[in-house]
Amino acid sequence: QASWVQKDDMVDGLGTNGYTSVHDVRADVTQLRACAALSNSANGRVVTGGCKMSETGRFQHHQDVVSGIRVNANGIVITCSWDSWIHAFDLVQWRELQQGVCFNKQQQQATTFAKDGEKLLAVATSPCTPELVGAASVTGRTWLWNMDSGAVHTLEERLRGEPVNDVDFHPMQSDAACTAMDDCRAILWDISLQTKVRELMQHDKTVTCAKFLGSNNFNNTSSSSVYERVVATASADQHVRLWDLRAPALQAALPAAADQRLTLAASASNHMLVVGSDHGTLAIWDLRRLRRRYCCSLSTGQQSSREVASLALSPCCSFLAAGLFSGAVLIYDLVHQSQQKLCPPHDDAVLGLTWGAGSGNTGPMLFCASHDSWWSAWAAPLQPTQVHDGGKAGSCSHGVATGKGSWAQ
């Protein structure tokens, strides 16, 4: 049995230890800022002085829907697509790398063959092993690709073929991964053995998102250590569930109205979980108390124009990005409690969002993957307004891109 599934030293809930630390106060401040930013936007309040992001590039490396996007610890943007390809882009050299893989070709060596090919639905990079990429496939496989060696493996159940909607790697345990399945399950995997460790079964509908809540941030605090073995799953049955990896029991089920899709973003050291819904709502949850702090509708427009497709919190927890099915991307500046709508928007749904480090003269960068077959990069100006993820205000924990294989903090 893998070390990350041991049942000793169980976490007793997600609350505090009976006292309020400095980190808890900072977490309260961050959560209140997030609530204020959403409230200002929902109520039409115009707040001046907020950070304005600008587009730095738009790329069409795929022939079909770009369904997922991530930045690994070496500063490489990884994108996946319905065209069965994964592509890599070096932020420092600002060019596409020759490295890439098409899983249609790999599929012929797999156990089964799907007529529609290996349509990829989501991508993840391992915080512990930056060269390791995971890609969720509509055929029921999760592909593991080592960018350095070129080795390809799969996580799959041979008797099932349900789509894998999402994949995530544990931030501190290199052999742990979780997949969100279309057949109402989430699966924990030991990727070193490519074997299934546990099934999380208590979902009534499709599981659309899976996310480990821990953090591998160098500035991580003891207040976030309680989440190191907690995974969150979001389901179309209108619940977000929290699980302890070392126990078979469900820890909590948080209600969240939805029809088909819920998506998540989290900050462990700020005890904050953000839930986005295709009902066009965003909710802020305090993980210590399992209490919803705030919930708002994104706009008063038509339902189809405000459905949330993707979410991402910046590493410094200064910005929250929400990608909509309309192609719009909303940026909430949690320092100034203001909102920006990126312009020009994408022509179709923004299915993936991720933050990465800026260059020496920019702040954090946001990367967007869209149904229109393009992905885009946006940069915030460099200014001392970011909120440290668990650290002091006035600094930011995002790194600086220094070249392939190097990502300085």
Side-chain angles (χ1 to χ4, degrees):
Q1 188 179 42
S3 61
W4 52 276
V5 199
Q6 297 299 322
K7 297 183 182 179
D8 56 332
D9 191 28
M10 279 286 299
V11 174
D12 184 17
L14 301 179
T16 60
N17 294 321
Y19 64 90
T20 301
S21 68
V22 174
H23 296 303
D24 289 325
V25 173
R26 288 172 180 159
D28 285 330
V29 171
T30 301
Q31 290 183 22
L32 289 172
R33 282 172 163 166
C35 295
L38 295 182
S39 176
N40 287 340
S41 174
N43 292 287
R45 301 189 190 100
V46 178
V47 179
T48 60
C51 177
K52 298 301 181 183
M53 303 192 70
S54 57
E55 187 173 13
T56 59
R58 192 166 293 217
F59 311 91
Q60 191 175 30
H61 296 149
H62 294 279
Q63 302 302 312
D64 208 332
V65 171
V66 184
S67 50
I69 190 165
R70 286 292 184 268
V71 180
N72 74 5
N74 293 333
I76 308 298
V77 179
I78 308 295
T79 57
C80 75
S81 170
W82 289 8
D83 64 8
S84 304
W85 274 90
I86 285 180
H87 287 290
F89 185 89
D90 191 309
L91 288 176
V92 176
Q93 299 178 27
W94 204 251
R95 65 177 182 84
E96 184 182 10
L97 299 178
Q98 295 299 318
Q99 293 166 290
V101 62
C102 178
F103 292 116
N104 255 347
K105 299 175 182 178
Q106 300 287 338
Q107 183 193 58
Q108 299 175 12
Q109 303 173 8
T111 55
T112 60
F113 187 83
K115 294 180 180 179
D116 295 333
E118 285 290 332
K119 183 185 292 185
L120 303 180
L121 303 180
V123 70
T125 58
S126 171
C128 302
T129 313
E131 66 272 15
L132 181 62
V133 176
S137 169
V138 72
T139 62
R141 302 183 188 93
T142 300
W143 292 92
L144 302 176
W145 173 48
N146 189 300
M147 295 177 59
D148 289 348
S149 68
V152 174
H153 303 285
T154 60
L155 305 175
E156 63 178 309
E157 300 174 288
R158 297 184 182 276
L159 300 180
R160 295 177 183 255
E162 296 292 333
V164 184
N165 295 315
D166 196 18
V167 58
D168 195 30
F169 291 103
H170 195 281
M172 299 183 70
Q173 300 290 337
S174 60
D175 57 352
C178 185
T179 54
M181 310 298 294
D182 211 50
D183 61 0
C184 309
R185 298 177 301 150
I187 301 176
L188 298 173
W189 299 87
D190 185 329
I191 60 177
S192 63
L193 301 175
Q194 299 167 42
T195 57
K196 181 171 59 177
V197 175
R198 180 174 299 147
E199 293 181 333
L200 308 179
M201 300 288 291
Q202 294 172 250
H203 307 92
D204 294 327
K205 290 186 178 181
T206 293
V207 182
T208 58
C209 184
K211 182 175 291 295
F212 289 103
L213 297 187
S215 172
N216 73 330
N217 196 305
F218 286 107
N219 299 293
N220 197 14
T221 65
S222 59
S223 63
S224 63
S225 62
V226 69
Y227 307 112
E228 288 179 6
R229 291 180 173 86
V230 178
V231 64
T233 59
S235 171
D237 65 8
Q238 304 191 35
H239 283 87
V240 175
R241 292 172 172 83
L242 305 178
W243 312 79
D244 191 305
L245 300 183
R246 297 160 296 178
L250 176 69
Q251 282 193 302
L254 313 179
D259 289 328
Q260 296 182 324
R261 187 180 181 97
L262 287 172
T263 186
L264 306 173
S267 173
S269 55
N270 289 301
H271 304 285
M272 184 168 68
L273 180 69
V274 186
V275 182
S277 165
D278 59 8
H279 279 194
T281 60
L282 287 176
I284 306 292
W285 285 84
D286 185 335
L287 291 171
R288 293 164 297 183
R289 305 173 181 88
L290 298 179
R291 179 169 66 93
R292 186 170 59 192
R293 281 212 165 207
Y294 188 76
C295 183
C296 71
S297 178
L298 291 183
S299 71
T300 57
Q302 295 181 350
Q303 176 74 20
S304 59
S305 67
R306 57 189 175 94
E307 297 175 353
V308 180
S310 53
L311 282 177
L313 276 166
S314 66
C316 50
C317 214
S318 297
F319 305 103
L320 169 66
L324 309 186
F325 276 93
S326 64
V329 177
L330 305 179
I331 305 295
Y332 297 92
D333 184 330
L334 306 190
V335 177
H336 297 94
Q337 294 90 56
S338 62
Q339 177 198 307
Q340 176 191 2
K341 185 175 182 180
L342 297 186
C343 186
H346 280 276
D347 294 331
D348 211 330
V350 177
L351 301 176
L353 291 171
T354 193
W355 291 88
S359 60
N361 58 356
T362 69
M365 294 187 69
L366 177 68
F367 304 92
C368 312
S370 175
H371 197 281
D372 63 12
S373 78
W374 291 75
W375 68 272
S376 59
W378 304 75
L382 186 63
Q383 53 185 0
T385 58
Q386 284 83 24
V387 177
H388 201 284
D389 187 9
K392 298 179 179 179
S395 61
C396 186
S397 61
H398 71 272
V400 177
T402 56
K404 184 182 176 185
S406 180
W407 200 240
Q409 292 287 331

